[in-house]
């Protein structure tokens, strides 16, 4: 098994691929004022947990999900099949969209292109008056100990002010934010722990290493969860401000 295959074996069939709760989606939709029919995108939708929530809540909207990983696209597609043609999932690059979208939701994926770079790329894909909601890792205190080890793979991590500066650099303004902590992370890690338990003992070296990585990540989170957070921000292009 290659390291990539091992990673996706650990991550197969998880309900979501990052921290978050249905309540986060509802909060963002309310703050963004999204309720009418329109065109909505879940960028980096992964296995489709939030896509499903968006489709359930926005009865008349056309909903799309995009992800760069074919396996996630297949999983998300199966999950939203009951909504018919109104919901569509496609494989693609979330920074190369045409839109126009009235709302872009992006949970734990904007750090791939970078907050500023990603938001800039979306400007041309937003309809007039559109908003964007995204969640992003944030520091809530010093980068030390277990927190530093947890975020070792994301050296660009900054605090909330730093994320707001990246939003402003892209020509957007922040309408509001809320922290994503505790139960939202449990919703990600608890199913992963169950998945790992079913894969053990792993004889394949790559799979054993992927399991060890995931277990270390979860253990660090349990150790320092009060200081490990995403922030969910609702933003809009500055020239759309009224
Ligand atoms: C941490 S996961 C979060 C998935 C999902 N939003 C969730 O919360 O369950 C990040 C997702 O972004 C996708 N992704 C990263 N860069 C991408 C890009 N440029 N275009 C499309 N998808 C991308 C990954 O394939 C992955 O599914």
């Amino acid at each position: 098994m290659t390291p990539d295959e091992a990673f996706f074996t650990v991550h197969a069939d998880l309900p979501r691929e990052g921290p978050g709760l249905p309540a986060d989606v509802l909060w963002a939709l309310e703050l963004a004022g999204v309720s009418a029919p329109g065109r909505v995108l879940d960028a980096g939708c992964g296995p489709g947990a939030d896509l499903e929530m968006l489709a359930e809540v926005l009865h008349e909207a056309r909903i799309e999900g995009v992800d760069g990983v074919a396996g996630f696209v297949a999983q998300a597609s199966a999950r939203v099949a009951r909504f018919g043609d109104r919901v569509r999932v496609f494989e693609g690059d979330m920074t190369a969209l045409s839109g126009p979208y009235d709302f872009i939701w992006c949970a734990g994926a904007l750090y791939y292109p970078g907050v500023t770079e990603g938001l800039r790329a979306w400007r041309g894909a937003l309809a007039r008056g559109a908003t964007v909601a995204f969640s992003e890792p944030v520091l809530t205190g010093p980068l030390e100990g277990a927190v530093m080890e947890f975020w070792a793979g994301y050296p660009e991590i900054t605090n909330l002010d730093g994320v707001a500066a990246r939003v402003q650099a892209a020509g957007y303004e922040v309408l509001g934010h809320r922290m994503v902590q505790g139960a939202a992370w449990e919703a990600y890690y608890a199913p992963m722990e169950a998945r790992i338990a079913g894969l053990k003992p792993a004889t394949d070296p790559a799979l054993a290493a992927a399991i060890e990585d995931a277990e270390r990540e979860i253990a660090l989170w349990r150790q320092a969860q009060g200081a490990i957070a995403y922030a969910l921000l609702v933003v809009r292009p500055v020239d759309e401000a009224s």
Side-chain angles (χ1 to χ4, degrees):
M1 198 180 277
T2 66
D4 255 17
E5 286 166 348
F7 175 87
F8 284 109
T9 300
V10 172
H11 286 254
D13 301 325
L14 297 182
R16 57 180 311 122
E17 280 293 321
L21 290 171
D24 294 319
V25 178
L26 296 178
W27 173 86
L29 289 175
E30 188 171 350
L31 182 57
V34 181
S35 57
R39 192 172 168 198
V40 168
L41 176 78
D42 185 344
C45 64
D50 297 331
L51 190 67
E52 196 174 5
M53 185 65 189
L54 289 165
E56 274 172 15
V57 175
L58 301 172
H59 306 284
E60 295 174 59
R62 278 185 299 147
I63 319 261
E64 293 167 39
V66 62
D67 202 279
V69 173
F72 289 146
V73 171
Q75 198 180 333
S77 298
R79 202 157 171 177
V80 297
R82 71 180 189 277
F83 298 104
D85 292 346
R86 193 167 68 77
V87 184
R88 169 177 97 93
V89 190
F90 61 98
E91 187 178 344
D93 180 354
M94 67 168 160
T95 64
L97 303 166
S98 46
Y101 295 105
D102 299 294
F103 179 65
I104 296 180
W105 168 264
C106 182
L110 196 52
Y111 56 76
Y112 282 96
V115 170
T116 305
E117 294 79 359
L119 289 176
R120 271 192 191 133
W122 287 343
R123 290 222 36 160
L126 292 175
R128 187 148 188 85
T131 43
V132 173
F134 71 95
S135 63
E136 167 71 9
V138 281
L139 290 174
T140 59
L143 187 57
E144 60 188 20
V147 177
M148 184 162 72
E149 213 182 314
F150 184 88
W151 292 120
Y154 188 43
E156 298 82 8
I157 189 167
T158 181
N159 59 18
L160 191 57
D161 287 345
V163 176
R166 289 173 188 171
V167 169
Q168 279 154 16
Y172 288 67
E173 65 177 352
V174 177
L175 299 182
H177 81 274
R178 78 180 207 161
M179 301 307 280
V180 176
Q181 280 184 284
W185 290 74
E186 199 69 54
Y188 172 42
Y189 286 138
M192 197 190 295
E193 281 175 322
R195 169 94 186 137
I196 287 170
L199 291 171
K200 281 168 99 171
T203 48
D204 183 281
L207 183 56
I211 287 174
E212 202 181 310
D213 284 351
E215 286 181 327
R216 189 180 319 112
E217 179 182 324
I218 296 168
L220 286 168
W221 174 71
R222 293 212 183 282
Q223 202 180 320
Q225 58 175 290
I228 290 175
Y230 274 23
L232 174 61
L233 294 93
V234 176
V235 305
R236 69 176 167 193
V238 169
D239 59 0
E240 296 293 340
S242 51

